[in-house]
Amino acid sequence: MAEEARGICVRDVAATDFIKSYAEHLKNSDKFDLPVWSDTVKTAVFKELAPYGDDWYYIRAASIARKVYLRPGVGIGQLQKWYGGSYRRGTRSEHFRKAASGIIRSVLIQLEEMKVVEKVGTGGRRVSVVGQQD
């Protein structure tokens, strides 16, 4: 039997390959802008320094777009938990801390302006039809 031709979706591609290529697509897009504060902001409370790479904002945006595609209805709070981590407090015990919500919110707002994601009536976001074709 001949194999049926099937479309390739985000689930079929490895996460690192998709994030790398979609970040490059966002970087080359004139609709997605880099905020002025992106070189000084930390990504979370538990981080000591800001990210080193110049493209970290585009990589985070591509990762957020992938998460929204895989889990429709995901909100800022769930994404904060996903990108959160362990807050090392010296000799005291570690505690979990969420990631910075401002970065996630600004990425989602820009993706909404590009019509890649849209708000869901029950809360959260999902990838729009235009975003699936993009």
Side-chain angles (χ1 to χ4, degrees):
M1 293 189 156
E3 300 233 355
E4 294 183 25
R6 188 169 77 86
I8 297 175
C9 67
V10 176
R11 293 181 196 276
D12 299 334
V13 182
T16 53
D17 297 336
F18 174 78
I19 291 171
K20 191 181 300 182
S21 62
Y22 196 67
E24 192 66 32
H25 171 73
L26 289 175
K27 187 175 181 181
N28 294 334
S29 173
D30 56 347
K31 297 177 185 174
F32 196 83
D33 298 326
L34 191 66
V36 295
W37 45 260
S38 66
D39 57 342
T40 58
V41 71
K42 295 193 307 181
T43 56
V45 173
F46 59 90
K47 299 286 188 180
E48 291 185 9
L49 297 171
Y52 287 122
D54 294 333
D55 298 340
W56 73 268
Y57 191 78
Y58 299 110
I59 293 169
R60 178 60 61 99
S63 177
I64 288 173
R66 182 178 180 274
K67 284 288 173 198
V68 171
Y69 179 85
L70 294 176
R71 293 182 59 96
V74 70
I76 294 172
Q78 285 179 323
L79 290 170
Q80 276 183 288
K81 286 181 190 173
W82 175 256
Y83 292 109
S86 206
Y87 184 37
R88 299 179 62 189
R89 309 182 309 154
T91 58
R92 297 174 293 173
S93 61
E94 296 178 351
H95 285 294
F96 180 82
R97 291 287 181 255
K98 293 179 179 179
S101 62
I103 296 169
I104 296 170
R105 189 176 294 112
S106 69
V107 166
L108 287 174
I109 287 171
Q110 286 198 45
L111 289 175
E112 281 179 18
E113 290 172 356
M114 290 175 61
K115 306 252 189 290
V116 174
V117 299
E118 60 189 9
K119 288 188 178 179
V120 180
T122 59
R125 310 256 191 332
R126 69 174 178 205
V127 176
S128 63
V129 175
V130 176
Q132 289 179 3
Q133 294 170 354
D134 194 25

